[in-house]
Amino acid sequence: MDDCMFPELKNDLILRAARGDSTERVPVWVMRQAGRYLPEFQAVRAKHEFFEVCRTPELACEVTLQPIRRFNLDAAIIFSDILVVPQAMGLTVQMLPGTGPTFQEPLLVPSDLGRLNSKTDVNQTLGYVFEAITLTRHKLEGKCPLIGFSGAPWTLMSYMIEGGGSTTMSKAKKWLYCYPDDSHKLLQMLTDVIVQFLVGQVLAGAQLLQLFESHAGILGPGTFSRFALPYIRQISTRVKEDLVQRAVKPVPMVS
């Protein structure tokens, strides 16, 4: 969606910083800035399940705006979750109180890859994220840029195999050693969906993209270079190429 369709941006500090331009100060935004530390967020969550908030554009917009109303931040980040991508590919994920994200049926063996829909139409399965982004761009009234995001392939793969959070990611790391070819197959499947997802976010109005490789630190230099970095680079290149082919100016991407 063309920027002329949205209110004029009044604060582009974080965009200039992301492009490598000199800035008058360091831009400020906060990880998980729309979240449980805010009483107004707790009020929303008291009435709505976590992924219900993610899947309801009006609710996702509201909780995205809550910290912007309280603090003088230089960016808003759309309220969503990295695990919406595995959901779009056919896996069931719940956010359980006291436990966190939980997969009902994680990937146990390579044959389980057959359960994944690698050709998912993101406009159908993740269209609610795009709707939330467009709505939020309008509601921000140009106060600051809106960040879109996705989890990176290795991080998503590790959740899909572990079935939830883990301090060691031992099951996922076992795949890298025991099933290297199938690991690459899964990472490529995820990469293909993530590219479409991030492009869709820009088309919906996201002004900066972030790719979260949250579990990079669990890998050694060799395994990171083999199983994580190539897919991050591929995503960065392909998203930009796709946008250019659509005559859309690429936005900055950070990780």
Side-chain angles (χ1 to χ4, degrees):
M1 191 170 292
D2 197 297
D3 272 348
C4 67
M5 302 296 293
F6 297 110
E8 183 179 357
L9 183 61
K10 302 167 187 173
N11 175 2
D12 68 346
L13 186 68
I14 196 168
L15 301 183
R16 287 186 281 126
R19 290 192 295 261
D21 299 340
S22 60
T23 58
E24 56 274 23
R25 62 176 176 81
V26 176
V28 176
W29 72 279
V30 184
M31 287 285 291
R32 302 184 187 277
Q33 69 183 24
R36 55 194 174 194
Y37 71 99
L38 292 174
E40 52 267 47
F41 176 80
Q42 293 285 8
V44 173
R45 283 285 284 112
K47 299 178 181 178
H48 304 280
E49 186 268 335
F50 179 84
F51 283 114
E52 179 189 355
V53 179
C54 295
R55 296 189 188 108
T56 307
E58 294 78 11
L59 293 176
C61 174
E62 167 59 24
V63 296
T64 299
L65 295 174
Q66 287 173 351
I68 303 302
R69 297 187 188 116
R70 275 184 175 258
F71 309 116
N72 187 27
L73 297 165
D74 294 307
I77 183 166
I78 194 67
F79 186 82
S80 186
D81 193 86
I82 64 171
L83 299 182
V84 298
V85 170
Q87 287 178 333
M89 296 175 71
L91 296 186
T92 299
V93 188
Q94 295 177 299
M95 195 68 70
L96 300 180
T99 301
T102 303
F103 286 73
Q104 289 186 354
E105 296 182 77
L107 306 177
L108 301 178
V109 292
S111 60
D112 286 337
L113 297 182
R115 295 196 276 118
L116 300 177
N117 178 12
S118 61
K119 304 298 183 182
T120 185
D121 181 349
V122 296
N123 289 307
Q124 292 186 356
T125 55
L126 294 167
Y128 59 87
V129 177
F130 306 151
E131 291 179 31
I133 287 172
T134 300
L135 178 61
T136 305
R137 270 293 302 274
H138 285 290
K139 295 288 187 180
L140 277 168
E141 299 179 337
K143 184 173 184 179
C144 63
L146 180 61
I147 302 173
F149 70 91
S150 174
W154 157 247
T155 293
L156 296 182
M157 171 182 169
S158 61
Y159 272 116
M160 294 162 75
I161 293 171
E162 296 290 337
S166 168
T167 57
T168 63
M169 298 294 165
S170 58
K171 296 176 184 177
K173 289 173 72 175
K174 181 180 178 181
W175 268 58
L176 303 183
Y177 292 100
C178 295
Y179 315 122
D181 291 342
D182 293 295
S183 294
H184 281 298
K185 181 179 179 180
L186 174 54
L187 290 164
Q188 188 61 57
M189 292 167 66
L190 286 162
T191 295
D192 292 342
V193 175
I194 291 166
V195 168
Q196 296 176 53
F197 184 37
L198 291 176
V199 168
Q201 290 185 58
V202 175
L203 297 179
Q207 294 156 288
L208 187 151
L209 297 174
Q210 181 145 20
L211 192 63
F212 288 100
E213 191 66 285
S214 308
H215 297 161
I218 209 76
L219 298 175
T223 48
F224 178 82
S225 296
R226 185 178 176 190
F227 292 103
L229 186 58
Y231 298 99
I232 294 172
R233 286 175 169 164
Q234 186 183 148
I235 290 167
S236 176
T237 299
R238 288 177 58 190
V239 168
K240 292 173 185 175
E241 289 177 347
D242 191 304
L243 291 170
V244 169
Q245 288 175 2
R246 297 170 185 264
V248 176
K249 184 179 179 180
V251 304
M253 184 182 298
V254 298
S255 61

